[in-house]
Amino acid sequence: MYLLCTIAASLITFLFLKWMKIRRLCMDLKRLDGKTVLITGGSSGIGKETAIALAIRGARVIIACRDEEKAEKAVREIKTISHTINVHHMHIDLANMRSIRDFCKTFLQREKRLDILINNAAMPSVLDWTDDSFSMCFGVNHLGHFLLTNLLLGRLKESAPSRVITLTCSAYKYQKLDFQDLNYNLFPFFTYCRSKLANIYFTQELARMTEGKGVTAYCVHPGYVQSSWTCHYSLLFRVVMQVIMFMFFVSCEAGSQTVVHCAVSDDVVPLSGGYFTDCRPAALRPFAKDSGVARKLWEASERLVKPAA
Ligand SMILES: NC(=O)c1ccc[n+]([C@@H]2O[C@H](COP(=O)([O-])OP(=O)(O)OC[C@H]3O[C@@H](n4cnc5c(N)ncnc54)[C@H](OP(=O)(O)O)[C@@H]3O)[C@@H](O)[C@H]2O)c1
């Protein structure tokens, strides 16, 4: 009897956890033939699943990655799963501004279109510095994508209607930006939260600046996803997180759904600057909608990376 109760309780718990992990799917089957998609960090996790989903829809997909070997392997995998050959990789290190500039130069020489830019790559909560002495999270997650988007904005406008989708995280709400210390690098989780808040302000200001120019911008919280972000941590942390992720986090495929939705759906077009999760618009905390802060961050970021130089 005791054994039966234990089995029943385990089964109910298991089904409850599975139910919790169900997320909305992108039901829009629009094809992307003739469109070019660029995804940063497309060699793993949500980025790779997004690449697969968009390649299946006929897009030319380019994944921008820092690890050549991993990128080649991912391209082979994306081609096999999507049954397409129009998948490529290019080298970029978002922790190095020179690398971003070189990437953009090559990209603009090679690619005549850019229809969808997906700013997906990110460093999780770590205390480190980029090659240009920015704190790692702020430098890679925000400044790297800020420079990349600015350098590719001309091509996005030429390819209009085009879209910029930036991955953020609902953990943005735990922090605010400190303009006296944008490179805040004290508590790892807080550096990550701030960089993800910066992604939201960046999207809003980009949407404002590109209004009426055929470029729209969205930011996406993908849910809590069982991806490879734990690889930056100790073995003990990885083991504990594997268990937690197995129970509570969704698959990378499920995590990619809102990104795919923002990439293909016509419904999102009037909602440029919006924050999306679960394939629908979501509310932001009031402080994260402050257009004055968004403008101030844009100007501060311009001073730090000098996109026009
Ligand atoms: N997983 C979640 O629960 C979760 C929740 C909310 C938001 N997000 C967001 O979703 C996005 C994707 O995350 P994920 O979960 O798929 O993580 P992931 O599996 O760790 O993927 C991150 C990707 O970013 C790349 N990257 C890191 N630093 C880079 C650099 N300096 N230059 C170029 N590429 C770099 C990584 O490349 P390497 O393989 O070379 O390291 C990797 O391909 C991130 O923006 C993340 O903040 C994730």
Side-chain angles (χ1 to χ4, degrees):
M1 187 61 186
Y2 175 74
L3 184 68
L4 267 179
C5 283
T6 312
I7 292 171
S10 308
L11 194 67
I12 290 167
T13 310
F14 179 74
L15 291 174
F16 175 69
L17 293 175
K18 282 279 166 217
W19 172 78
M20 271 187 55
K21 289 169 71 159
I22 293 172
R23 295 191 72 90
R24 283 162 69 105
L25 297 177
C26 171
M27 303 306 279
D28 195 318
L29 299 175
K30 193 161 91 196
R31 299 267 321 156
L32 294 173
D33 302 288
K35 306 273 186 203
T36 298
V37 179
L38 173 61
I39 308 175
T40 63
S43 59
S44 63
I46 298 163
K48 188 164 81 181
E49 286 302 330
T50 306
I52 292 169
L54 300 183
I56 287 174
R57 289 159 195 260
R60 171 176 173 77
V61 175
I62 298 162
I63 56 171
C65 313
R66 60 178 172 173
D67 182 329
E68 293 287 306
E69 216 174 292
K70 224 170 137 181
E72 275 170 26
K73 193 166 164 262
V75 166
R76 281 197 298 275
E77 218 177 308
I78 298 164
K79 281 181 176 172
T80 308
I81 299 173
S82 63
H83 300 290
T84 57
I85 50 164
N86 213 354
V87 183
H88 311 269
H89 71 88
M90 287 177 65
H91 181 266
I92 196 169
D93 181 358
L94 289 157
N96 182 305
M97 297 295 154
R98 183 74 265 154
S99 168
I100 298 170
R101 288 180 187 280
D102 290 346
F103 169 88
C104 290
K105 205 171 155 200
T106 313
F107 184 92
L108 292 172
Q109 277 164 4
R110 279 195 208 159
E111 302 295 328
K112 296 295 158 240
R113 302 193 59 81
L114 177 55
D115 299 278
I116 304 169
L117 167 61
I118 302 179
N119 291 323
N120 161 81
M123 282 300 282
S125 316
V126 291
L127 293 184
D128 206 347
W129 299 95
T130 69
D131 296 341
D132 307 280
S133 305
F134 298 119
S135 68
M136 189 55 91
C137 283
F138 186 67
V140 170
N141 305 0
H142 169 63
L143 287 179
H145 286 121
F146 176 84
L147 179 62
L148 179 75
T149 307
N150 272 281
L151 295 178
L152 298 178
L153 201 50
R155 190 54 42 94
L156 282 159
K157 285 179 186 162
E158 286 162 19
S159 313
S162 55
R163 302 179 184 196
V164 179
I165 300 157
T166 303
L167 276 280
T168 178
C169 177
S170 63
Y172 78 83
K173 55 174 159 289
Y174 301 124
Q175 284 288 289
K176 287 186 179 164
L177 294 187
D178 175 2
F179 281 91
Q180 303 306 313
D181 186 16
L182 282 174
N183 272 307
Y184 168 88
N185 216 6
L186 211 52
F187 293 105
F189 181 58
F190 290 169
T191 66
Y192 177 74
C193 296
R194 289 181 188 206
S195 71
K196 293 286 127 182
L197 175 59
N199 291 150
I200 293 171
Y201 287 132
F202 161 75
T203 299
Q204 290 166 1
E205 186 59 13
L206 179 64
R208 195 193 62 75
M209 290 176 64
T210 55
E211 200 177 344
K213 299 191 172 99
V215 182
T216 50
Y218 313 96
C219 56
V220 168
H221 167 60
Y224 287 96
V225 180
Q226 213 171 345
S227 66
S228 54
W229 62 273
T230 53
C231 67
H232 300 278
Y233 300 100
S234 69
L235 181 64
L236 179 64
F237 181 81
R238 290 207 300 272
V239 172
V240 173
M241 277 316 295
Q242 282 309 323
V243 177
I244 294 175
M245 289 204 295
F246 173 74
M247 292 199 300
F248 299 108
F249 285 30
V250 300
S251 69
C252 291
E253 193 182 359
S256 68
Q257 293 299 304
T258 308
V259 187
V260 174
H261 176 73
C262 288
V264 301
S265 172
D266 291 333
D267 298 348
V268 304
V269 174
L271 303 173
S272 185
Y275 170 70
F276 288 76
T277 190
D278 249 347
C279 297
R280 54 188 160 197
L284 281 168
R285 294 283 165 93
F287 74 88
K289 292 189 288 191
D290 187 328
S291 56
V293 177
R295 170 82 63 90
K296 196 170 168 187
L297 176 65
W298 189 280
E299 288 166 2
S301 306
E302 273 182 333
R303 282 194 296 278
L304 290 171
V305 304
K306 300 181 181 60

